[in-house]
Amino acid sequence: MGTAALLRAAGVGVGDEVVVPAFGNVEVAEAVARIGALPVFADIDPVTYCLDPAAVEAAVTSRAAAVVVVHRFGRTADMGRMHGIGRRHGLLVLEHREAEVPHSELARRRERAAYLDARLRGVRTPDGGDGHTYQQYVVRVPGNGRPDRDAFAGALRARGVECRVPVKTPVHRLPEFRRCVSLPETERAAEETLALPVDASLTRREMQRIVSACNALGGPMVVGSTAEFGV
């Protein structure tokens, strides 16, 4: 069942509020609106890019009926704390997962992520804790936010490295869901994040190209690192 159907089946509807993330996944906010409920946006944890439990609790009002938690990029949200919030406030807690990484590819993706972790300089690499599956390998580009991130991405593409901005506009900034709400971590992540290739099929030469291109823009390459992976 989809998010809208699950919410409706639980009795959530017109006049209810549902806490959701604004960092991507507009389809979640659309599902809430489709049943006549109001999406209420809460901020994310800057490490996992999932909803921050403290921000969720702060967003709960007497009209709140549910929380929809989205697991992002291969990291999972803190569901223990989320379910605790649900129990305290009588809320339905739903989980929305992005496309899963096939089990056959998981080890190779983690090897390639470790290779990048060991060699990239000038960008902040993702935290690999909590069983990260690297559905996407998302780095932070330091500097002056969106202009520097976009310039960095353009320079990588000019060097033959495919990359993408995972969230171009937070949902609370879209015309149909515009809200006057403070979500500093969401805003910062939307301006700084960039997804680099980490596909299981990437060869050593292709990985070296990614590292060389990034480090030529962001910092000196590491010489003599021992992290390797199979091809």
Side-chain angles (χ1 to χ4, degrees), residues 129-155:
D130 196 28
H132 203 318
T133 61
Y134 296 100
Q135 191 262 348
Q136 295 188 60
Y137 185 90
V138 177
V139 301
R140 295 278 192 127
V141 180
N144 189 31
R146 190 180 302 270
D148 286 348
R149 188 273 314 280
D150 289 351
F152 188 91

Side-chain angles (χ1 to χ4, degrees), residues 53 56-57 60 67 69 78-91 93:
V56 169
E57 188 131 37
V60 171
V67 179
V69 182
D78 187 340
M79 293 309 300
R81 291 179 64 188
M82 291 297 183
H83 285 300
I85 293 169
R87 288 190 294 271
R88 283 194 297 277
H89 298 280
L91 306 177
V93 178

Side-chain angles (χ1 to χ4, degrees), residues 53-136:
V56 169
E57 188 131 37
V60 171
T61 73
S62 60
R63 297 172 59 191
V67 179
V68 180
V69 182
V70 179
H71 304 297
R72 296 306 310 265
F73 307 145
R75 284 295 301 267
T76 57
D78 187 340
M79 293 309 300
R81 291 179 64 188
M82 291 297 183
H83 285 300
I85 293 169
R87 288 190 294 271
R88 283 194 297 277
H89 298 280
L91 306 177
L92 172 70
V93 178
L94 295 181
E95 298 181 60
H96 177 93
R97 293 186 179 274
E98 297 178 321
E100 297 280 347
V101 173
H103 184 72
S104 59
E105 294 184 7
L106 182 54
R108 285 177 290 169
R109 278 182 174 263
R110 285 176 170 160
E111 287 172 348
R112 283 150 179 78
Y115 182 94
L116 294 176
D117 288 346
R119 288 166 167 77
L120 288 178
R121 295 295 179 268
V123 296
R124 191 195 318 166
T125 56
D127 184 296
D130 196 28
H132 203 318
T133 61
Y134 296 100
Q135 191 262 348
Q136 295 188 60

Side-chain angles (χ1 to χ4, degrees), residues 94-220:
L94 295 181
E95 298 181 60
H96 177 93
R97 293 186 179 274
E98 297 178 321
E100 297 280 347
V101 173
H103 184 72
S104 59
E105 294 184 7
L106 182 54
R108 285 177 290 169
R109 278 182 174 263
R110 285 176 170 160
E111 287 172 348
R112 283 150 179 78
Y115 182 94
L116 294 176
D117 288 346
R119 288 166 167 77
L120 288 178
R121 295 295 179 268
V123 296
R124 191 195 318 166
T125 56
D127 184 296
D130 196 28
H132 203 318
T133 61
Y134 296 100
Q135 191 262 348
Q136 295 188 60
Y137 185 90
V138 177
V139 301
R140 295 278 192 127
V141 180
N144 189 31
R146 190 180 302 270
D148 286 348
R149 188 273 314 280
D150 289 351
F152 188 91
L156 286 184
R157 294 184 188 113
R159 288 166 167 79
V161 175
E162 293 184 10
C163 59
R164 59 181 295 273
V165 175
V167 175
K168 294 182 179 179
T169 305
V171 182
H172 71 298
R173 298 298 186 196
L174 297 175
E176 62 270 38
F177 292 111
R178 191 171 295 279
R179 301 281 191 278
C180 183
V181 59
S182 176
L183 303 175
E185 295 299 344
T186 295
E187 299 274 3
R188 192 172 297 116
E191 292 186 348
E192 296 179 351
T193 51
L194 188 66
L196 301 179
V198 73
D199 305 68
S201 61
L202 289 169
T203 65
R204 182 176 290 106
R205 184 180 295 277
E206 290 169 327
M207 297 298 293
Q208 289 170 341
R209 182 187 303 123
I210 295 168
V211 171
S212 296
C214 287
N215 288 353
L217 298 168

